[in-house]
Amino acid sequence: MTAHLPHTLRSDARDNRARILDSARAVFAEEGLAAPVRQVARHAGVGPATLYRHFPTKRDLIAATFAEQQRACRAVIREAVADPDPWHGFRSLIEGICELHAHSRGFADAFMASFPEAVDFDADREQSLRAASELARRAQEAGRLRPGFVVDDLILVLMAHRGVQDMPPDTRLAASRRFAAYMIDAFRATP
Amino acid sequence: MTAHLPHTLRSDARDNRARILDSARAVFAEEGLAAPVRQVARHAGVGPATLYRHFPTKRDLIAATFAEQQRACRAVIREAVADPDPWHGFRSLIEGICELHAHSRGFADAFMASFPEAVDFDADREQSLRAASELARRAQEAGRLRPGFVVDDLILVLMAHRGVQDMPPDTRLAASRRFAAYMIDAFRATP
DNA sequence: AGCCAACCGGACGGGGGCGTCCGTTACGGT
DNA sequence: ACCGTAACGGACGCCCCCGTCCGGTTGGCT
């Protein structure tokens, strides 16, 4: 049995951990998960060893870094599904996820598991997809979403959207929104 | 003045060069430009030094590897522009470029210069964009392409399409075509 | 056949990223 | 104020990738 260590970190350790997570969010958001761990450490004003003590592997760091974004993503999906107008919900879902991904390349990378070593978002993704599928079905029944749409198309959008993130940083957000708008247009049913 | 070397390589050298280019096409197509040069050499059954003698830098190898694809790309654009029906030409252009990019991740990478060290396709891209812009204008005047379309949207499509290439190899082509179809739908004018 | 040059490829150096070790620092309880 | 211990961080080893060097090999011309 593992003797459980004290749940209270020393003040400096707690401070450093917080700064590391903030830095990880900033660095990974800007440069994606390809950014070196040392750069996160430098950004946090901390030695590499300190970072590795708090997060033994890069995977752990990524998981901790994007736990919040993951919650936000779940919230977006929950709200979209709860929308009384399924087509409006569907649009909100696409716009919302794209917005989240646009604000952090790293989160988009982790979510799409484009990095094989990235954190395991599979369970979440599976569940989200199921919910989205339900929403899409209702939107189709309402005659607003084109009948040909399948859930895999949502993955298609997300994969494609990840490619948009490789544009120059100052145009990323606008490009992301424009892309989302086009895709929604493509998914709209033609009466 | 540089004394010009004989334009005829020795038979084994010529053979190796050809095998290297074939291997480069195969490897870069499958794994993108991130694939190590040594892997190309191994695939060709050749030592690294031999490869580097024929192509002093990775950039050179990439340039030589995709010269043919680049010509194919120019041809696609030329034919699209020459199409008497500008909207049909516009669709052909998107489908054609996507198809080319779908058949080789490496070419897509090189074309979009997502790799900073990649070959300089800028001149080509600029010229192609100008031609595409002309085609788009005519398609808009014909009332088939939506008025809001701008040339940057073509770049948007290509960047997004590059993201689609990160899907599993067996689904790439289908996903690419489906994506192209959706984007064309989104660009279609709504009367 | 014989020779020379062109060619080949294993081995090397340089750089960068991930994760680890150990001597030093500083928190916090007494 | 003191001391034990948790925490820190510079330096290290390891691996992978790019590009180079040199001794051995082979093509092709006489």
Side-chain angles (χ1 to χ4, degrees):
Chain A
M1 300 302 149
T2 66
H4 64 84
L5 18 159
H7 283 200
T8 63
L9 278 66
R10 232 170 61 179
S11 63
D12 52 349
R14 209 161 18 84
D15 202 48
N16 277 337
R17 184 188 169 89
R19 276 216 310 280
I20 288 171
L21 280 176
D22 282 345
S23 299
R25 259 184 287 273
V27 171
F28 286 146
E30 186 61 36
E31 313 200 11
L33 299 186
V37 171
R38 316 266 305 220
Q39 186 174 340
V40 174
R42 271 194 302 274
H43 188 282
V46 159
T50 298
L51 193 155
Y52 278 109
R53 191 170 315 105
H54 285 288
F55 309 99
T57 183
K58 188 171 185 173
R59 194 191 166 93
D60 296 332
L61 175 61
I62 292 169
T65 301
F66 293 120
E68 189 182 335
Q69 262 92 328
Q70 212 174 345
R71 272 196 306 273
C73 190
R74 275 196 295 264
V76 163
I77 293 169
R78 203 178 322 117
E79 285 177 27
V81 169
D83 196 311
D85 175 352
W87 171 243
H88 183 266
F90 182 82
R91 287 184 310 176
S92 300
L93 185 143
I94 289 186
E95 285 167 358
I97 296 184
C98 283
E99 175 104 12
L100 276 175
H101 284 208
H103 276 78
S104 173
R105 281 179 79 175
F107 180 55
D109 286 350
F111 191 87
M112 297 314 286
S114 112
F115 259 62
E117 310 85 11
V119 60
D120 180 46
F121 280 11
D122 284 8
D124 245 52
R125 230 181 53 161
E126 198 61 34
Q127 184 181 346
S128 302
L129 246 47
R130 214 182 311 274
S133 178
E134 229 290 296
L135 178 61
R137 195 188 49 74
R138 281 190 286 134
Q140 279 173 328
E141 281 177 359
R144 308 294 304 276
L145 175 60
R146 68 189 300 166
F149 179 90
V150 293
V151 204
D152 287 350
D153 289 341
L154 192 59
I155 296 181
L156 191 67
V157 171
L158 261 28
M159 292 299 280
H161 183 263
R162 221 181 52 77
V164 175
Q165 301 311 310
D166 288 337
M167 301 192 77
D170 51 319
T171 67
R172 270 212 289 257
L173 219 86
S176 173
R177 278 200 263 263
R178 195 167 177 88
F179 176 75
Y182 272 130
M183 289 313 293
I184 289 173
D185 256 33
F187 289 150
R188 181 176 280 122
T190 58
Chain B
M1 299 301 150
T2 67
H4 64 83
L5 18 158
H7 283 199
T8 63
L9 277 66
R10 230 169 65 178
S11 63
D12 53 349
R14 205 158 25 81
D15 202 48
N16 277 338
R17 184 188 169 90
R19 276 216 312 279
I20 289 170
L21 280 176
D22 282 345
S23 299
R25 260 185 286 274
V27 171
F28 286 146
E30 187 61 35
E31 313 200 12
L33 299 185
V37 172
R38 318 265 306 219
Q39 185 174 339
V40 175
R42 272 195 302 274
H43 187 282
V46 159
T50 299
L51 193 156
Y52 278 110
R53 192 172 314 106
H54 285 289
F55 309 99
T57 183
K58 188 171 185 175
R59 192 191 168 93
D60 297 331
L61 175 61
I62 292 169
T65 302
F66 294 120
E68 190 182 336
Q69 262 92 329
Q70 210 174 347
R71 270 195 307 274
C73 189
R74 276 196 295 264
V76 163
I77 293 169
R78 202 178 322 116
E79 284 177 27
V81 170
D83 197 310
D85 176 352
W87 171 243
H88 182 265
F90 182 83
R91 287 183 310 176
S92 300
L93 185 143
I94 288 185
E95 285 168 358
I97 296 183
C98 283
E99 175 104 13
L100 276 173
H101 285 208
H103 276 79
S104 172
R105 280 179 79 175
F107 181 54
D109 286 349
F111 192 86
M112 298 315 286
S114 109
F115 259 63
E117 311 85 9
V119 60
D120 178 47
F121 281 11
D122 285 8
D124 247 49
R125 229 181 55 161
E126 197 62 33
Q127 184 180 345
S128 302
L129 247 47
R130 213 182 311 275
S133 178
E134 228 291 295
L135 178 61
R137 194 187 51 73
R138 282 190 286 133
Q140 279 173 328
E141 282 177 358
R144 308 296 303 276
L145 176 61
R146 68 189 299 164
F149 180 89
V150 292
V151 205
D152 287 350
D153 288 342
L154 192 58
I155 297 181
L156 190 66
V157 171
L158 261 28
M159 291 298 281
H161 183 263
R162 220 180 52 77
V164 175
Q165 301 312 309
D166 289 336
M167 302 194 77
D170 52 320
T171 67
R172 270 213 289 258
L173 220 86
S176 172
R177 278 200 262 265
R178 195 165 176 87
F179 175 75
Y182 272 131
M183 288 314 292
I184 289 172
D185 257 33
F187 289 150
R188 182 177 280 121
T190 58

